[in-house]
Amino acid sequence: MTQEQLIGKKVRGFKFDGYPPGWTIEMLDCIGKIGVCKSFHYPSNSIKVLFDDGQVWHYPVEQIKKHIL
């Protein structure tokens, strides 16, 4: 699945290692919650995910694929 095909897909929040993008402690609230992939961020090879509570986080493309619903 390409990064373009991820846009609009639902994903379950998860913890990840690596940088970029970086993991922050504030992302713990989103583990297990469902969000929507909104856009691809080229410089960090990440997908911006919007959660129902308004939180927005970037997840690495290669790791997010395993968490698509």
Side-chain angles (χ1 to χ4, degrees):
M1 184 177 294
T2 67
Q3 57 265 21
E4 291 84 11
Q5 293 171 318
L6 292 170
I7 306 308
K9 301 277 188 200
K10 291 184 179 181
V11 62
R12 192 172 306 275
F14 61 97
K15 186 172 182 181
F16 60 89
D17 295 321
Y19 185 84
W23 169 265
T24 67
I25 195 76
E26 291 88 2
M27 294 173 82
L28 281 174
D29 291 341
C30 294
I31 293 177
K33 291 184 180 176
I34 296 173
V36 177
C37 299
K38 296 308 252 180
S39 62
F40 174 67
H41 189 251
Y42 178 76
S44 64
N45 195 34
S46 65
I47 296 289
K48 181 168 73 172
V49 177
L50 172 64
F51 292 91
D52 287 341
D53 62 3
Q55 291 189 65
V56 177
W57 298 106
H58 286 255
Y59 287 85
V61 169
E62 291 308 314
Q63 293 183 45
I64 202 171
K65 293 176 182 179
K66 296 181 280 186
H67 301 277
I68 295 294
L69 301 177

